[in-house]
Structure formats: C-alpha cells, structure tokens
Amino acid sequence: MGVESSAVGSVQALIAPARLRRHSEEIFLAGFNDHLTMIDEKSIQNWYLGMRDSTDYLGIEQMQAGMAYSIWARQAFTGIWLPERQGFLITRYKIHPKPYLFVELHWDTGEAYGTAKPLRPLEICPMPLPPISAYHDEEQNAALCAWLDALEQRHPPLPGWDSLTERRQITTLQL
C-alpha cells in the first residue's frame, strides 16, 4: 500500500495516541505527501525505516549536556541533550499548529521508552532551558522552539527534505 493511500486510511490512527514505537512510525510515515519537492517520498521512507534497525548512532556516553543533535526520533529530528532525563528536548506538534517542548528518550534507555537515536552534534543551545513544569507554556518557550525549528531547517535529516513542514502538516491532518 502506498503512502498516500495509507494516509487516507490512517486518519483514525492519527487521532489515537501512539503507544508503540512501530505504530508511531506508521503514523509518521502516513503524513508524507505533497510537500516533497527536492527529495522523493521513497528515499525518506527508506531512510526512516532503515534507521529503526540501524546501530549507527551516538551512545549515551558520547552525549554532551546542552548540545543540540540531529536525531532520528518519533516526533522530531533535532533535540537538545538533557543528561538528567537521558533524553532530548524537542519541539512537538500535536493537534495544534504551535509547538510545545517534549522529551524523547535516548534509544539506549531500552525498548518501549527509548525513541531517539542521535546522529551528529550540531551546536550548543545558546539559551537557558526551562523547567519541566513549563514545557507546555507557549509564551515562555517560543524563542527556544523557534531556535530548535530553525536548527532542524538548517540541518535536515536528509538533504533536500523539509522535515519541519512535514511535521507541521501532520498536525493539520489530525484536526
């Protein structure tokens, strides 16, 4: 079944909360469609699905606090390493066009919890990070969310892929 036809058949799945990694990947892949102009849909699918089984990523012991990394994850492709959480602070779009902060745990934390594989360091975050209690405060986090999103645009997971637009577009499918 092609991605376009699976997107039509997956509207119900997009509304339900994703509990399993495999289910989340199917939801993510169902969102690919018309915004692919510089890279073809099949290349993105192949990369995304290939990363699921890949061991070519940075381990927890290689992470640097406050560093932004290019990541392969359920909800984003750029994240700031938080050693105390063993995860990456990301921007997440979910049933709302504005992002909020969310943590994706490092793959090495184990099955069902680890959802992010860091691929390469990008740069140190230039601003203070908010407390966990403020992750859903859009006003307080607007600058940090904008910085993370701009970083993802400057360093796409695959050359020519506008992954940020794709993530935002998936949100409109959920409305």
Side-chain angles (χ1 to χ4, degrees):
M1 183 184 298
V3 170
E4 287 184 49
S5 59
S6 69
V8 173
S10 297
V11 173
Q12 290 296 341
L14 287 168
I15 296 169
R19 299 272 186 240
L20 302 172
R21 179 178 295 132
R22 183 170 209 80
H23 181 67
S24 297
E25 290 165 1
E26 290 167 3
I27 289 171
F28 181 84
L29 291 173
F32 297 135
N33 58 21
D34 299 332
H35 281 277
L36 303 177
T37 55
M38 298 181 68
I39 186 169
D40 68 284
E41 191 174 307
K42 194 69 172 168
S43 295
I44 294 170
Q45 279 185 343
N46 289 341
W47 173 79
Y48 191 85
L49 294 174
M51 282 303 303
R52 179 178 50 215
D53 298 321
S54 177
T55 58
D56 187 19
Y57 63 93
L58 303 170
I60 287 178
E61 70 283 350
Q62 295 172 284
M63 300 293 93
Q64 179 183 346
M67 175 67 75
Y69 289 85
S70 176
I71 61 174
W72 175 89
R74 290 180 312 155
Q75 306 294 334
F77 297 103
T78 304
I80 302 165
W81 178 246
L82 303 173
E84 68 281 0
R85 300 286 310 272
Q86 290 194 320
F88 298 90
L89 189 61
I90 65 163
T91 58
R92 182 172 183 188
Y93 292 84
K94 183 177 180 179
I95 311 178
H96 197 274
K98 291 187 179 183
Y100 63 91
L101 296 175
F102 183 79
V103 175
E104 292 253 13
L105 298 181
H106 193 288
W107 190 264
D108 292 346
T109 60
E111 188 69 36
Y113 299 107
T115 57
K117 292 181 180 181
L119 307 175
R120 65 186 180 279
L122 299 174
E123 58 187 73
I124 293 287
C125 180
M127 55 193 78
L129 301 179
I132 295 170
S133 61
Y135 283 4
H136 287 271
D137 185 334
E138 289 177 14
E139 266 185 52
Q140 182 177 341
N141 299 321
L144 183 57
C145 287
W147 182 80
L148 276 166
D149 284 352
L151 200 59
E152 184 173 327
Q153 285 188 310
R154 286 194 316 270
H155 302 280
L158 289 173
W161 179 26
D162 185 358
S163 58
L164 183 61
T165 296
E166 291 294 327
R167 293 195 302 122
R168 287 176 176 157
Q169 184 181 25
I170 290 169
T171 299
T172 63
L173 292 173
Q174 295 175 5
L175 297 176

